[in-house]
Amino acid sequence: MELGLGMFGDNHYANGKPLPVGQRLQELMEEIKLMDELGLDFYGIGEHHRPDYAVSVPEIILAAAASVTKHIKLGSAVTVLSSADPVRVYQQFATIDQLSNGRAEITAGRGSFIESFPVYGYNLNDYDALFEEKLELLQKINNENPITWKGKFRAALNKQEIFPRAVNDQLNIWVAVGGTPESVVRAGKAGLPVIFAIIGGSPVQFQPLFQYYRDVYKHFKHDATKFQVGVHMHCFFGEDSKQTADEYYPYYSAQMDRVGRSRGWPAYQRNQFDFGRSKDGALIIGDANEAIDKILQMQELFGLTRFSAHMDVGGPSHKALMKSIEIYGTKIAPKVREALKK
């Protein structure tokens, strides 16, 4: 099982207002470099178009990261494919792949945030149709060159060559799924690896969706040796469990409320946070031993090939993030890998 991190580039706040993004972007480079030095397997950065996030173009962050890392895979988490041009997406990630000697990958999603649709001039009424068509085109570009293609939302391509190509003429493309059966069917039918975002409730509730994905993947006779499935969960690690939770809660709850205000959610409560940290909850926030047990629990529950720790929700300090990454790389990942070998 691969062990890595996902981030959204959550911005730091002071007096209720987001700070300039430059500091957060520079910090990201140090954080990614540390992940690479510690031997973590992959890093993903999200795409958002809001003041509480510092990153709207993951490709630029990943290209910069390629120059300061040697081994870690570099990908999006996610690319909002519905409001992007698949040709351009492929070219950008193929360029990162060339810069990094074959370490780039794409995680495509419909996007749980919708700000990119008006920014790039797309109609939200086409939310599902846009993603389905663009995912089909991205796969076609990844598998064929030149390509001939015609769709509804983009100009047709006629024997068009797309350059540059990825290092091995093939990018690894994941699909991010929030929990809808339709998304599971789409990914399974296409034979694409899936990463489930489990950020609330009880993870066990997702078990039928994981099995559904396996059934669809098998039904369409895709190569069983290429089967990949992952999970993305909110995580934060420290030396002392209670102290870590108490210090991180204000950052976490503040971000839940910032997102919640735009969606009509009630204010986030400490009891929600505490349940999330429990054995049955979806948060992995505490010390190394708690994290090891819960990650192994997720692997046993779902048969994972990838675990992604989403670690910067709410924009905690750079110092605290570096410590959390250090604990993940030196105390958690080695123990999880050792247990899985047994």
Side-chain angles (χ1 to χ4, degrees):
M1 179 172 69
E2 291 181 309
L3 297 167
L5 286 97
M7 289 183 169
F8 284 177
D10 289 43
N11 210 351
H12 299 307
Y13 270 70
N15 300 318
K17 295 184 178 181
L19 298 177
V21 301
Q23 177 184 336
R24 185 70 197 107
L25 298 180
Q26 292 167 20
E27 290 170 356
L28 280 173
M29 292 302 106
E30 292 183 29
E31 292 158 10
I32 301 166
K33 186 177 180 182
L34 178 60
M35 297 171 206
D36 185 56
E37 291 169 351
L38 294 174
L40 293 168
D41 296 310
F42 66 89
Y43 171 76
I45 182 68
E47 172 193 344
H48 295 88
H49 303 264
R50 298 164 50 100
D52 38 346
Y53 299 107
V55 179
S56 61
V57 278
E59 300 85 357
I60 292 180
I61 303 302
L62 298 172
S67 68
V68 296
T69 58
K70 296 180 180 179
H71 307 292
I72 195 167
K73 294 179 182 178
L74 300 168
S76 53
V78 302
T79 295
V80 184
L81 191 60
S82 306
S83 57
D85 178 8
V87 175
R88 197 63 171 158
V89 168
Y90 179 86
Q91 290 175 319
Q92 289 165 335
F93 280 88
T95 301
I96 297 166
D97 204 49
Q98 292 289 344
L99 282 170
S100 64
N101 295 315
R103 292 186 281 128
E105 56 185 31
I106 302 170
T107 299
R110 294 183 299 172
S112 61
F113 292 86
I114 59 174
E115 289 82 3
S116 64
F117 287 78
V119 167
Y120 296 122
Y122 289 97
N123 191 331
L124 271 172
N125 292 330
D126 299 321
Y127 185 79
D128 290 316
L130 279 164
F131 184 72
E132 189 163 351
E133 177 176 296
K134 292 187 176 195
L135 183 62
E136 173 198 303
L137 176 54
L138 181 62
Q139 282 184 273
K140 193 173 181 69
I141 296 167
N142 198 35
N143 295 326
E144 302 175 22
N145 197 41
I147 69 164
T148 297
W149 174 90
K150 186 175 182 180
K152 178 181 177 182
F153 299 104
R154 189 199 186 283
L157 297 166
N158 182 28
K159 297 180 181 178
Q160 181 66 54
E161 292 186 290
I162 308 297
F163 297 110
R165 303 301 297 176
V167 169
N168 295 313
D169 204 27
Q170 188 82 189
L171 284 170
N172 198 19
I173 300 173
W174 289 71
V175 175
V177 174
T180 62
E182 295 81 5
S183 297
V184 170
V185 170
R186 183 187 295 115
K189 186 177 179 180
L192 294 173
V194 163
I195 187 153
F196 289 84
I198 303 181
I199 57 175
S202 296
V204 70
Q205 296 170 328
F206 280 75
Q207 211 166 12
L209 283 174
F210 278 82
Q211 187 57 50
Y212 190 28
Y213 172 64
R214 281 183 167 80
D215 292 343
V216 174
Y217 189 95
K218 184 177 179 180
H219 175 77
F220 284 95
K221 296 180 170 57
H222 297 299
D223 186 348
T225 64
K226 295 182 179 179
F227 180 86
Q228 297 180 85
V229 63
V231 68
H232 164 105
M233 300 176 71
H234 290 172
C235 302
F236 204 79
F237 312 126
E239 298 289 357
D240 178 86
S241 178
K242 185 179 184 304
Q243 182 181 353
T244 300
D246 289 344
E247 291 178 353
Y248 184 45
Y249 175 73
Y251 294 98
Y252 191 86
S253 61
Q255 181 61 6
M256 291 298 103
D257 286 342
R258 280 190 286 269
V259 174
R261 278 192 293 272
S262 65
R263 300 182 178 186
W265 296 350
Y268 190 77
Q269 302 294 327
R270 179 65 192 241
N271 64 339
Q272 293 173 264
F273 184 74
D274 291 337
F275 171 77
R277 294 182 62 237
S278 73
K279 184 177 184 294
D280 297 322
L283 301 179
I284 308 182
I285 296 169
D287 63 32
N289 288 331
E290 289 173 318
I292 292 163
D293 289 345
K294 208 161 186 179
I295 292 170
L296 290 172
Q297 177 190 348
M298 295 304 108
Q299 205 283 332
E300 183 177 354
L301 192 62
F302 301 127
L304 302 175
T305 63
R306 171 173 285 198
F307 178 85
S308 177
H310 182 177
M311 202 179 283
D312 65 343
V313 179
S317 72
H318 176 53
K319 181 180 179 180
L321 277 166
M322 292 289 277
K323 183 64 177 178
S324 183
I325 293 165
E326 178 189 344
I327 291 171
Y328 189 29
T330 61
K331 296 184 178 181
I332 298 170
K335 291 291 186 181
V336 170
R337 289 166 179 155
E338 182 181 337
L340 292 175
K341 285 181 180 179
K342 294 178 180 177

